[in-house]
Amino acid sequence: MSKEILDAVRGLAAEKNISSEKLMVALEDALLSAYKKQPGAAPYAQVEMDRELGDFTVWELKIPEDLEDQLITEQEEIIAAEFSGVDPETGEARQLPEPELDFEKLAQYEDQIERVDVTPEDFGRIAAQTAKQVILQRIREAERDMMFEEYRDRVGELITGIVQQSDSRYTLVQLRERVEALLPKSEQVDGERYDHSQRIKAVIKDVSASTKGPSIIVSRRDPELIKALFELEVPEIADGLVEITNVAREPGYRSKIAVVSHADGVDPVGACVGPRGSRVRMVVSELRGEKIDIIPYNDEPARFVAKALSPARVREVLVDDDGKQATVIVPDDQLSLAIGREGQNARLAARLTGWRIDIRSETEFASEEAEGGYEEEEVQGGRCAAITRNGRRCPNAALPGSRYCGLPTHQALSEIDSDEVAALDGGGTATLVAEDEELLEEEGTLEETQEELDGEEYAGEEEGDLDGEEHPSEDEAGEEPAEEPAS
């Protein structure tokens, strides 16, 4: 019988992937529980099993009364200090448990304790059933501990599961045999259905231990889901050549991701889009049609903000570094597209860049500028306040202590109540105006800077990319521009 026990323990350890030592300790505890079911069992007993032969011995521990009282008093103090009076699982009140001797402490007083062999010749039916229950319980506990250790360090990881059950509170997802995760309502995407036996992808949100086993919470709303899906589809991201720096997401509707390349010659946007949009299309399909804008990251806030407002075209971006606020000027016909449906495009761009974005149309901005609404801001920004004959503001820096740059004609504006160069009269003044603008054009400041501010480099592009980089089309990227709200 002893050899059969050892063989059974080894086979069970291999099948359940549990160490044989844990099973031997569980078997000792099971035999002790079985012994205590016997009539006339000793109050304090211990079971020892030979790891080589499989023989077991039940020892009665005869503890002196004074030592017993001392150990019980110490145990009562420990229990009282840790006792909360409320069951953590049910929240119901509970009574103070009876103190039990700690056998690890008894080892310190081994010389004072007498051990007597009281091994029974045979266990009864009730005792054997008790032993079986204890062994099964210990095996389940060991499996739960192993499962918790397996998943505790996998928070944020992408997993694939099969829907087992779905109701108004949560969806039960089976990850593998005897491992299930919860997809609560708060982590589900509005409008998505989770049918029985459907295969879904999600990210692990939280793993916690409980008496019923580890509780694994997964999410379909977390922005990490988009990062994980792109890492799965784009080898450049998995290899570290391309990095997703930030994600702004409104689950089920639209997302924006900022990507940057760490290798020369690798286009981060093209890598994420894939040949004919195949890579981004797979991500969009897994997200049930959620639109995705792929934005190239830029260290310059003005350019990054302009690109983040894709697919709208941007004319000019004025940034306030101290307040981390950007004023964006767009063509009149692009205003609704830049704002997006219910402000969605502007809201996602603000989350992606981390800047507060104020969007103005060209007409609105020009009227406010003419009224002096932006004079103080521009003077503080160090930009010349003069308005040239083409209706644009001078791109030069203002002189210290002045609102205008060093051009004589622009300095002459300080003597009249207007910022428009055309307001200056007289033939000589007109000649100066022409000479000043010719000088600006020769230096390249007026033409090049104005092109940069007006966004002429990317005229005709759907994205509004100040660098002239190509942006995936709707067919390639699997997305559509936001519809313009009715005026």
Side-chain angles (χ1 to χ4, degrees):
M1 180 62 70
S2 300
K3 185 178 183 303
E4 292 178 359
I5 291 177
L6 290 177
D7 292 341
V9 167
R10 293 192 184 101
L12 195 59
E15 179 185 350
K16 300 293 185 180
N17 196 22
I18 303 172
S19 68
S20 57
E21 180 60 29
K22 280 188 176 181
L23 289 179
M24 294 298 289
V25 172
L27 187 57
E28 288 177 345
D29 292 341
L31 292 173
L32 180 60
S33 298
Y35 169 74
K36 289 183 176 180
K37 294 288 183 179
Q38 298 282 92
Y44 303 112
Q46 191 174 13
V47 175
E48 291 181 355
M49 176 167 282
D50 192 315
R51 301 302 193 258
E52 299 295 333
L53 302 177
D55 296 331
F56 67 91
T57 305
V58 182
W59 298 97
E60 179 185 358
L61 304 179
K62 295 185 176 182
I63 305 174
E65 291 186 6
D66 55 345
L67 179 58
E68 180 182 1
D69 294 339
Q70 175 188 339
L71 293 175
I72 290 179
T73 302
E74 292 177 358
Q75 196 66 20
E76 285 178 346
E77 293 175 354
I78 294 174
I79 293 176
E82 298 177 352
F83 183 67
S84 61
V86 178
D87 192 328
E89 295 292 330
T90 62
E92 298 178 355
R94 60 178 183 176
Q95 295 181 350
L96 190 69
E98 292 291 331
E100 296 182 0
L101 293 185
D102 188 352
F103 286 98
E104 293 182 359
K105 289 187 176 181
L106 287 177
Q108 304 174 11
Y109 308 97
E110 188 175 357
D111 54 339
Q112 304 180 34
I113 299 174
E114 181 182 355
R115 291 157 55 96
V116 180
D117 186 354
V118 290
T119 306
E121 295 182 0
D122 191 15
F123 285 116
R125 180 182 60 83
I126 297 177
Q129 184 67 22
T130 301
K132 176 184 176 182
Q133 291 175 355
V134 171
I135 292 175
L136 293 177
Q137 180 182 355
R138 289 301 182 89
I139 291 174
R140 285 193 295 267
E141 290 176 356
E143 288 178 336
R144 288 197 294 263
D145 292 342
M146 290 173 57
M147 192 187 309
F148 177 70
E149 292 296 327
E150 177 183 353
Y151 284 94
R152 66 184 299 181
D153 298 327
R154 296 178 62 182
V155 175
E157 183 177 322
L158 181 69
I159 53 94
T160 302
I162 299 175
V163 176
Q164 294 295 316
Q165 178 184 344
S166 183
D167 56 28
S168 59
R169 297 174 300 164
Y170 60 84
T171 297
L172 195 62
V173 181
Q174 182 177 6
L175 305 184
R176 59 178 177 83
E177 185 180 0
R178 303 188 67 179
V179 179
E180 294 177 337
L182 288 179
L183 178 62
K185 193 70 175 177
S186 59
E187 298 297 338
Q188 297 177 14
V189 177
D190 297 338
E192 284 189 354
R193 290 185 57 185
Y194 308 103
D195 301 322
H196 181 69
S197 299
Q198 178 184 355
R199 189 177 296 273
I200 64 170
K201 287 183 172 64
V203 292
I204 299 177
K205 186 79 171 180
D206 181 57
V207 180
S208 58
S210 65
T211 55
K212 297 181 180 179
S215 175
I216 304 173
I217 306 297
V218 297
S219 172
R220 290 272 299 176
R221 298 180 63 91
D222 199 294
E224 290 294 325
L225 177 61
I226 292 184
K227 284 187 177 182
L229 288 174
F230 270 104
E231 184 175 350
L232 186 66
E233 297 292 337
V234 183
E236 289 84 353
I237 295 179
D239 294 340
L241 302 179
V242 175
E243 179 188 358
I244 298 178
T245 59
N246 198 11
V247 177
R249 186 184 183 201
E250 291 197 358
Y253 298 98
R254 197 178 197 93
S255 296
K256 290 181 183 288
I257 65 172
V259 294
V260 63
S261 174
H262 297 304
D264 294 337
V266 177
D267 176 22
V269 176
C272 294
V273 172
R276 300 183 64 83
S278 58
R279 293 174 178 175
V280 72
R281 192 179 297 118
M282 291 296 294
V283 178
V284 170
S285 176
E286 178 59 38
L287 296 177
R288 316 284 177 87
E290 183 176 314
K291 306 292 190 301
I292 299 178
D293 292 336
I294 304 174
I295 310 299
Y297 175 78
N298 199 306
D299 291 329
E300 297 182 20
R303 293 182 180 274
F304 189 29
V305 168
K307 294 172 184 177
L309 287 171
S310 168
R313 290 184 292 109
V314 175
R315 287 294 187 194
E316 188 176 0
V317 178
L318 305 176
V319 296
D320 177 11
D321 292 327
D322 295 334
K324 211 170 184 181
Q325 180 172 350
T327 301
V328 180
I329 296 92
V330 299
D332 292 356
D333 61 344
Q334 296 286 308
L335 180 61
S336 58
L337 186 60
I339 295 174
R341 184 180 298 174
E342 298 180 356
Q344 183 186 80
N345 195 54
R347 187 164 56 247
L348 287 174
R351 291 181 193 168
L352 186 71
T353 60
W355 284 66
R356 182 181 176 185
I357 299 177
D358 183 18
I359 303 176
R360 303 293 180 91
S361 66
E362 282 186 314
T363 303
E364 179 186 3
F365 183 74
S367 63
E368 292 182 358
E369 213 175 26
E371 295 172 2
Y374 285 85
E375 287 182 0
E376 292 301 324
E377 177 182 342
E378 289 168 355
V379 168
Q380 293 175 1
R383 185 179 169 190
C384 179
I387 300 176
T388 60
R389 288 186 301 175
N390 62 3
R392 303 294 183 188
R393 188 168 294 281
C394 175
N396 289 342
L399 295 178
S402 174
R403 298 177 62 247
Y404 305 101
C405 64
L407 294 175
T409 307
H410 294 184
Q411 285 293 325
L413 292 174
S414 60
E415 300 176 2
I416 65 174
D417 190 17
S418 175
D419 290 334
E420 297 184 7
V421 175
L424 294 172
D425 297 326
T429 304
T431 303
L432 285 175
V433 171
E435 289 176 353
D436 289 348
E437 296 193 355
E438 287 176 4
L439 179 60
L440 285 172
E441 291 178 359
E442 289 175 1
E443 294 175 351
T445 56
L446 177 61
E447 180 180 354
E448 294 174 6
T449 308
Q450 199 62 50
E451 280 183 352
E452 180 177 343
L453 295 174
D454 294 346
E456 293 179 2
E457 294 109 323
Y458 58 87
E461 294 288 334
E462 279 294 320
E463 171 194 339
D465 185 350
L466 294 180
D467 288 332
E469 299 175 61
E470 293 185 1
H471 189 71
S473 64
E474 296 173 19
D475 294 337
E476 292 175 339
E479 59 177 272
E480 301 174 0
E483 295 182 6
E484 298 186 14
S487 57

